[in-house]
Amino acid sequence: MKGIILAGGEGTRLHPLTTAVSKQLLPVYDKPMVYYPLSVLMLAGIREILLISTPRDLPLFRLMLGDGSRLGLSLSYVEQARPGGLAEAFLLGADHVGDDSSALILGDNIFHGQAFSQLLRAHSRDVDGCVLFGYPVSDPERYGIAETDPAGNLLSIEEKPRAPKANQAITGLYFYDNEVLEIARRLKPSARGELEITDLNRVYLDRGRARLVKLGRGFAWLDTGTHSSLLQAAQYIQTLEERQGVRIACLEEIALRMGFIDARACLAEGEKLAKTEYGRYVMQVALDHEAGSLTTAHPVAF
């Protein structure tokens, strides 16, 4: 499976913070926002990842993440000249996906939950159709909403419904088989001139090949699109990290635990940031791993 992070857009709801920089480069407590979606793809076992962003911001992402080799990844980059809808990611990323299945994640979404890595890997194997991830919300009229029957079968998808039939919001994480490339090519632009992800998902739904995985209690799905939600996300991460002594979306730790890099490489990455608490945490993770005291799956971070 290949991964795609969509980190474009103008972030107008976060102005003036984003008048000069991508919102995905803004901090969410102790790390850049883009670390969080990247960590999700890594937890799913995905190592070949494409990041899509604007011509203005792409050089900054390259400077921050490089080619990914320090994390055992292969990162590539593509420009999105102007917002063209979420489904445009599959036109821009067609060469990257090739003959493989794909995982698309939005660059401003944060996911966290116990055993999340196992859940992701279970649903990323042998994808047939599309896999959507639902999360219960109290204000469903603000989201794309998935309706299911009592057996959990997906019945309908509505975008920001005035009279919602359910409260399961479709999050910004999607798994697709390779047919998504052809479906995206055949999509008609919306009235806004964009290729809508809801239209793409409905094609799979009409073919009976869409399913919903519900993320319920024990999971957090955080949107960072407004000043208030950005602050709330930072406070959530801060609370967990300070109380539990872990780091959420620590890329170096995840790379080590997933077997993408060894303890020596992890230690070297931590030493580069040794003046920060984050760097010292990475160094301790590497030392614990070498000493044999690091478990293979931390119950909070994973």
Side-chain angles (χ1 to χ4, degrees), residues 77-247:
Y77 303 86
V78 166
E79 291 184 358
Q80 185 181 39
R82 60 187 60 84
L86 304 187
E88 189 184 34
F90 296 105
L91 303 186
L92 298 172
D95 290 341
H96 168 72
V97 174
D99 297 326
D100 212 338
S101 57
S102 56
L104 172 66
I105 188 167
L106 306 188
D108 61 354
N109 275 215
I110 296 175
F111 295 84
H112 178 253
Q114 187 171 348
F116 193 32
S117 180
Q118 291 92 318
L119 177 74
L120 292 169
R121 282 180 281 173
H123 290 286
S124 64
R125 298 190 193 101
D126 302 319
V127 176
D128 181 16
C130 80
V131 180
L132 309 176
F133 293 84
Y135 189 82
V137 294
S138 59
D139 49 354
E141 64 278 356
R142 293 183 54 228
Y143 302 92
I145 296 297
E147 178 194 10
T148 58
D149 65 17
N153 300 309
L154 191 57
L155 298 177
S156 69
I157 299 172
E158 293 185 279
E159 187 65 27
K160 298 180 180 178
R162 292 184 180 180
K165 300 176 182 177
N167 72 335
Q168 287 288 325
I170 297 174
T171 69
L173 174 64
Y174 317 85
F175 291 168
Y176 297 100
D177 63 11
N178 191 255
E179 196 173 358
V180 71
L181 301 181
E182 183 61 27
I183 293 174
R185 279 192 289 266
R186 294 182 179 183
L187 281 182
K188 294 181 179 180
S190 66
R192 298 184 300 173
E194 299 184 356
L195 301 181
E196 304 290 352
I197 198 74
T198 297
D199 293 338
L200 187 153
N201 292 335
R202 281 182 180 141
V203 173
Y204 278 104
L205 176 62
D206 292 343
R207 296 178 181 180
R209 300 180 59 227
R211 57 192 176 94
L212 183 74
V213 176
K214 294 182 179 181
L215 304 176
R217 292 193 177 189
F219 279 89
W221 171 54
L222 305 174
D223 181 13
T224 54
T226 68
H227 298 99
S228 177
S229 61
L230 179 62
L231 177 60
Q232 290 171 2
Q235 291 172 331
Y236 174 85
I237 298 299
Q238 180 187 24
T239 298
L240 281 180
E241 291 191 350
E242 291 186 354
R243 292 198 176 192
Q244 299 181 348
V246 300
R247 297 278 161 174

Side-chain angles (χ1 to χ4, degrees), residues 268-291:
E269 291 303 312
E271 289 173 342
K272 295 177 185 178
L273 304 171
K275 292 184 179 180
T276 69
E277 291 185 8
Y278 182 95
R280 291 190 288 273
Y281 174 84
V282 172
M283 293 170 63
Q284 190 61 53
V285 165
L287 294 173
D288 288 346
H289 187 276
E290 282 197 320

